[in-house]
Amino acid sequence: MVSSLAALRGPAVTLVDDPFAQASRACLQYHEDALVLIEDGTIRAFGPYAELRDTVPDGITPEHFPGHLLAPGFIDTHVHYPQLQMIGAFGAQLLEWLDTYTFPAEMSFADAAHAERVAKLFLRELLRAGTTTAMVYCTVHPHSVEAFFAESERFNTRMIAGKVLMDRNAPSPLLDTAQRGHDESLALIERWHGRGRQLYCVTPRFAPTSTDAQLEAAAALLKSRDGLFLQTHLCENPGEVEWVRELFPARSSYLDVYAHAGLVRPRSMFGHAVHMHEHDFCTCHQTGAGLAHCPTSNLFLGSGLFKLFEATDPRRPVKVGLGTDVGAGTSLSQLQTLNEAYKVAALAGHKLDAVQGFYLATLGSARALGFDDRLGRLAPGHEADICVLDPHATPLMAFRAGYCASIEELLFMLMTLGDDRAVRATYVAGQRVYDRDRAGDPFHLPDAA
Ligand code: GUN
Ligand code: ZN
């Protein structure tokens, strides 16, 4: 088989370690002029161009991005693709928001053609934002998962997704049963888990919409194949937490509902975790479960402020990733999500620096997903999912960049002022699938592998 080679050149940043555990400056690698050499979708070499230029094979001309920043593609650990059509819905907190806007939107996915249309738009919007991996909620309809994975497979993106499980407390068109949800999920697992870059995530929506029997069925599904993921919601809103207490009086906490069912483990990702007790953080630390910090959503729905620096306390660190949580979240851009994460931390008297921010959006999210051996870094052996950031994307950013005296200042400017306009290009497995400045259609399906 002939191997495919590509090379990128330009200023580059990558995280190499956890800035919540040690000094930020020890965790960021920055090269003013770097080379990324890519073979068959995997990074073969990464380092200063001057040191690596002689390793570029004859006939390969690096694509050069002077004045830009090569970075690992962003990872979004919590997002709902069917909620694009009601992002920015006015005036409700979580439970009212679900009833008024979310469930009706998800009901429209009974139409498979609608699911296909939205999946196409969603994948493109992720790539426009520089996001190359996401953990995604579909709807209760199996064909919503089919539509999502089919589109992701066309782009060869590494995506993690699953069918929502709900067997109570939702409109009847959105309900399955413990048995039916299990069987439909299993069929999707057999069809999609590990096919190309697609991975399956068992997806009970949240404790109020699943019976004990369904949560137990979810645990059984996790045992059906190696490497499956789990996603659900946890401790997002005070009214929701109270409801869970009423529904599960025998459990010691909201997290204990999931722990009792056997759902708290590595590769389990709990969205929000705003109203947590110390013993809940301890459980996450001991089990290796991850939390998805979703600041734009928590602010938009008035849910509360995630305690990032308590969660990541080095005495018992919990793995934390960054999530947009669209459509409760208000942007698919992880730069905009970091903008709000900074403010949420500031309200608790903390300073989220740029290295910590970019860690959350890349390597930290990969670690929370248990995928840091392959994702979230520019390093040999890692999958070549790369975004090219443009610090001069707008007149204001270009002006402000002129006053940035260090790479940390430039990154902080990007995470404060940046959004999808600051993403010049996105590479998936070494192929350019999005080019902001390309005339006509900026998206390009990769050549077949
Ligand atoms: N809790 C249960 N379902 C949802 C959802 O779709 N979005 C958010 N933000 N929270 C939830
Ligand atoms: Zn959510």
Side-chain angles (χ1 to χ4, degrees), residues 255-280:
L255 184 63
D256 186 45
V257 174
Y258 297 133
H260 183 74
L263 300 177
V264 184
R265 29 168 262 163
R267 293 190 306 284
S268 292
M269 182 59 72
F270 295 97
H272 305 290
V274 170
H275 305 283
M276 295 275 276
H277 297 292
E278 173 58 22
H279 59 83
D280 296 323

Side-chain angles (χ1 to χ4, degrees), residues 78 80 83 94 97-98 102-103 106 137 205-206 209 233 236 240 254 272 297 301 325 328-329:
H78 184 121
H80 301 252
Q83 296 178 12
L94 176 64
W97 175 86
L98 284 171
T102 316
F103 291 149
E106 296 193 8
Y137 289 72
R205 178 177 217 113
F206 68 155
T209 48
H233 296 84
E236 178 176 0
E240 170 217 21
Y254 193 158
H272 305 290
S297 166
L301 292 186
D325 193 32

Side-chain angles (χ1 to χ4, degrees), residues 6-17:
L8 306 183
R9 178 183 173 190
V13 283
T14 188
L15 269 293
V16 295
D17 217 330

Side-chain angles (χ1 to χ4, degrees), residues 40 47 83 88 93 105 113 115 164 171 202 210 283 302 320 350 358 373 395 399-400:
D40 294 333
Q83 296 178 12
Q93 289 214 351
V164 163
V202 177
S210 286
T283 303
V320 177
H350 293 286
F358 274 76
D373 58 333
F399 180 69
R400 180 66 179 87

Side-chain angles (χ1 to χ4, degrees), residues 9-11 64-68:
R9 178 183 173 190
H64 196 186
F65 292 98
H68 290 68

Side-chain angles (χ1 to χ4, degrees), residues 38 71 87 162 172 185 195 230 264 327 353 369 396 400 421 441:
I38 299 161
I87 185 172
S172 57
S185 300
R195 173 165 148 178
L230 176 117
V264 184
D353 71 37
L369 295 172
L396 176 59
R400 180 66 179 87
R421 292 169 297 177
D441 185 2

